[in-house]
Amino acid sequence: MLSRRRFVQSILAFAILPKQLLQAKGFLSPNVFRVPPLEFGKRVGKDVFFDLDIRSGKSAILPNRLTSTLGINQKFLGVTLRASKGDRVHIKVKNNIHRTTTLHWHGAKLPAKSDGGPHQPIKPSHTWLSEFEIIQPAATLWYHSHQMHETGFQVYHGLSGMFIVDDDESKKLGLPLDYGVDDFPVIIQDKDFNRDGSFKYISDFRDKLMGKKGETILVNGVISPVLKATKSLIRLRLLNGSNSRTYHLNFDDGRMFNIIASDGGLLEKPEMAHSIKLAPAERAEILVDVSDGKMPILRHKMHQQKSANRMTGMMMMQQAQGKKLEFDIFQIDASGVSSSSKKVPKYLVQHDTPSMRSIVRKRTFKLQMQMGPQLMMGAVSGSKDLLQINGKSMKINRIDEVVKAGSIELWEIENTSMMAHPFHIHNVQFKIISRRGKIKGHELGFKDVVLVRPHETVQVLIEFPKFSDAKTPYMYHCHILEHEDRGMMGQFVVV
Ligand code: C2O
Ligand code: CU
Ligand code: CU
């Protein structure tokens, strides 16, 4: 309760509505939930043509102030792209901003040349064409800038959006699928602002070292919005689009929900849960039953017990600095819902999980952060070599691994550092095979990011798609964008 009051007050610093009115109605904030425009492209049979334009603008995020933002086909953040399995997409990206950028299709299986990583930079006023066939099942993918050393800055300012893949199999399940009606993108990001309304990105060496965390949460670019639900069963496509913050999401009234999908698409069956942990770049789709007509708030909050046990040194440090550890994210107003014809299915899809016996190669990746006096020195001097994988910092001209197209491998990711790192691999959807503790919830599904906790080792099973290109690498990296930008990234080619 206390935290709610504090939250409402911080919103009220900007709000126009009188406090009494807000509290009387029980609403978190006067902001309306924003659904990013949907873009289907121009279709000619199986060929789908998208025209994207990376631009800058001024956006009204705070009341009475404008924020300089970046966006794709709009001023802030990207439009939602939507295509189907079997489509051949042709995405033309025009760079209309004053810095070199890229657009990477995160989670997609595709030829390296179309990946949109650091090897496909788009100079100002240049155009890049990315073409690939969608060979993977229905999923909530996303796209974002991947410019070398600038990904953190560019994503923070708005260069990210959602990419929804559909397929026939998932359509038959009768899941909520009406975009903006009972199926909603929920892009969660945290920002800080300067007094003039501009985004405040890196301000000290701690932001560089631990990753940038903001104290204001945006959902689809809006501060703590209220979603007026019209259907009693809604699907939320949650995307943690934050630079470095991991969220423990649950509802303030403790209601349960069904997790139906992970990064790579639908799970085999819905998993009931009352909370879900999402690290940067992770996605999960959940079904929420709001037939009770209430007004639940989705928030970021660790369990009482857990947070007491798990209060890490870093959290204590943040608390000591007066930083918030809990946030309300957005609210659902279900007071006007009509009953939905949709139900939660018993089973979803069957996974084609590769067999352990087919593993042809095992590789180990050690995630390392130099600690101690070196760290302080390096942080002060701005050295890029503090963050490494297997003793190496990212070098754009060095290929670190060579993988055989179509092969099945076991990758073991070992975190030797004191903080958690979300490890991401391009071009694949893997299964988590082993980790500390039980594998549950969305982690049972196909993944392209996995959070590796301090001193934890996680094993993932990967089947590499058959695209091969000896010259153009894909990336694997920590998805804390400040870590990626500072060298916690490596390159592999598939041949
Ligand atoms: Cu989401 Cu290499 O990126
Ligand atoms: Cu990626
Ligand atoms: Cu990291």
Side-chain angles (χ1 to χ4, degrees):
M1 259 354 255
L2 238 181
S3 78
R4 172 107 45 99
R5 199 165 310 131
R6 220 181 304 131
F7 183 88
V8 170
Q9 276 164 359
S10 69
I11 281 283
L12 279 164
F14 311 113
I16 319 127
L17 287 178
K19 183 178 185 170
Q20 297 84 325
L21 190 62
L22 277 175
Q23 283 185 339
K25 285 189 174 173
F27 286 125
L28 193 56
S29 94
N31 295 339
V32 176
F33 189 92
R34 184 174 168 278
V35 180
L38 193 55
E39 179 68 73
F40 284 102
K42 286 196 189 68
R43 179 174 288 275
V44 185
K46 288 274 171 206
D47 292 285
V48 185
F49 300 85
F50 290 97
D51 243 316
L52 303 186
D53 137 49
I54 299 181
R55 58 175 90 149
S56 58
K58 301 241 181 241
S59 304
I61 301 168
L62 304 168
N64 313 320
R65 278 190 183 88
L66 289 177
T67 306
S68 293
T69 51
L70 299 176
I72 302 111
N73 287 17
Q74 55 180 357
K75 286 187 290 190
F76 183 35
L77 299 173
V79 293
T80 299
L81 307 180
R82 193 153 195 172
S84 296
K85 183 179 178 185
D87 286 347
R88 286 181 298 264
V89 297
H90 309 262
I91 313 173
K92 210 167 82 189
V93 186
K94 172 87 196 286
N95 178 1
N96 285 319
I97 60 173
H98 297 296
R99 42 176 88 227
T100 301
T101 186
T102 83
L103 275 192
H104 164 60
W105 320 110
H106 179 125
K109 299 179 177 180
L110 74 193
K113 278 209 165 82
S114 297
D115 186 47
H119 291 272
Q120 290 85 38
I122 318 167
K123 292 206 194 99
S125 64
H126 282 238
T127 298
W128 174 62
L129 180 64
S130 174
E131 298 177 293
F132 57 98
E133 184 182 338
I134 300 178
I135 60 166
Q136 62 202 96
T140 300
L141 309 181
W142 66 303
Y143 63 100
H144 60 79
S145 155
H146 214 304
Q147 178 60 26
M148 195 68 177
H149 306 310
E150 271 195 41
T151 301
F153 176 92
Q154 295 190 7
V155 171
Y156 192 80
H157 284 80
L159 293 189
S160 64
M162 199 172 265
F163 194 145
I164 298 176
V165 173
D166 295 308
D167 67 7
D168 294 339
E169 205 185 345
S170 65
K171 278 187 183 153
K172 284 185 202 134
L173 293 169
L175 295 165
L177 194 63
D178 203 349
Y179 187 82
V181 177
D182 59 9
D183 180 355
F184 300 93
V186 179
I187 305 175
I188 306 170
Q189 297 172 312
D190 54 339
K191 310 286 178 197
D192 280 330
F193 295 88
N194 293 309
R195 278 170 172 272
D196 65 358
S198 59
F199 283 134
K200 180 170 166 190
Y201 183 42
I202 299 269
S203 42
D204 55 20
F205 87 92
R206 235 176 289 110
D207 290 345
K208 285 190 190 168
L209 198 68
M210 306 297 201
K212 171 66 188 177
K213 287 190 183 68
E215 298 269 291
T216 300
I217 307 285
L218 306 188
V219 173
N220 301 336
V222 177
I223 300 174
S224 308
V226 177
L227 168 63
K228 211 150 172 33
T230 55
K231 296 287 176 197
S232 59
L233 185 69
I234 59 175
R235 175 186 195 162
L236 303 178
R237 297 176 187 260
L238 307 171
L239 156 62
N240 181 352
S242 306
N243 281 37
S244 88
R245 192 184 288 280
T246 291
Y247 299 92
H248 297 256
L249 302 172
N250 49 67
F251 286 100
D252 65 332
D253 60 4
R255 74 180 56 210
M256 307 277 280
F257 49 83
N258 274 287
I259 306 172
I260 56 165
S262 58
D263 303 335
L266 293 169
L267 305 180
E268 296 202 292
K269 57 180 182 55
E271 296 286 326
M272 269 285 233
H274 58 255
S275 77
I276 186 167
K277 181 159 129 185
L278 275 193
E282 281 190 304
R283 288 89 68 209
E285 295 177 29
I286 63 172
L287 295 181
V288 189
D289 183 338
V290 289
S291 56
D292 58 11
K294 295 207 169 129
M295 298 196 288
I297 295 171
L298 186 75
R299 57 184 191 176
H300 161 50
K301 187 180 198 293
M302 278 175 90
H303 293 277
Q304 252 4 301
Q305 270 180 335
K306 272 193 196 159
S307 59
N309 300 340
R310 285 206 202 144
M311 192 77 169
T312 61
M314 206 170 82
M315 287 168 68
M316 288 195 274
M317 201 166 91
Q318 287 176 324
Q319 210 173 42
Q321 289 161 5
K323 299 221 163 147
K324 286 192 282 182
L325 298 175
E326 294 173 5
F327 298 91
D328 289 334
I329 293 179
F330 83 104
Q331 184 173 27
I332 301 168
D333 170 12
S335 58
V337 293
S338 62
S339 84
S340 167
S341 57
K342 313 277 179 165
K343 279 192 208 70
V344 181
K346 260 220 163 88
Y347 298 98
L348 297 165
V349 294
Q350 218 162 33
H351 287 173
D352 224 347
T353 306
S355 135
M356 294 283 283
R357 265 172 289 143
S358 325
I359 295 171
V360 296
R361 174 94 199 243
K362 182 183 162 187
R363 295 174 207 259
T364 305
F365 298 87
K366 278 196 171 51
L367 309 181
Q368 301 150 321
M369 285 176 94
Q370 305 296 336
M371 283 296 179
Q374 259 167 302
L375 172 141
M376 299 304 288
M377 299 279 293
V380 172
S381 69
S383 155
K384 289 206 173 77
D385 290 307
L386 292 167
L387 298 158
Q388 301 181 325
I389 299 176
N390 288 343
K392 298 175 287 185
S393 254
M394 164 77 183
K395 288 275 170 328
I396 194 125
N397 293 320
R398 185 191 65 224
I399 305 288
D400 300 286
E401 309 288 334
V402 179
V403 171
K404 219 172 132 260
S407 67
I408 291 165
E409 298 201 355
L410 185 78
W411 283 24
E412 187 172 273
I413 308 124
E414 185 188 339
N415 182 356
T416 67
S417 79
M418 279 157 49
M419 67 179 284
H421 302 277
F423 188 79
H424 167 55
I425 312 170
H426 286 209
N427 185 43
V428 301
Q429 290 294 337
F430 53 74
K431 275 285 179 86
I432 302 171
I433 292 302
S434 78
R435 72 171 318 150
R436 202 196 296 148
K438 201 171 166 242
I439 299 164
K440 57 178 169 47
H442 66 120
E443 295 204 326
L444 289 165
F446 282 104
K447 302 275 301 153
D448 53 55
V449 197
V450 60
L451 186 66
V452 190
R453 289 169 295 186
H455 304 294
E456 187 186 23
T457 297
V458 173
Q459 290 184 321
V460 302
L461 181 62
I462 315 169
E463 177 168 5
F464 287 86
K466 293 203 170 90
F467 311 108
S468 68
D469 180 342
K471 291 218 181 80
T472 317
Y474 298 101
M475 310 290 131
Y476 52 84
H477 57 89
C478 173
H479 221 290
I480 289 178
L481 300 180
E482 291 70 31
H483 288 182
E484 172 193 329
D485 280 341
R486 302 190 77 214
M488 199 177 256
M489 175 154 72
Q491 312 195 89
F492 69 101
V493 288
V494 178
V495 296

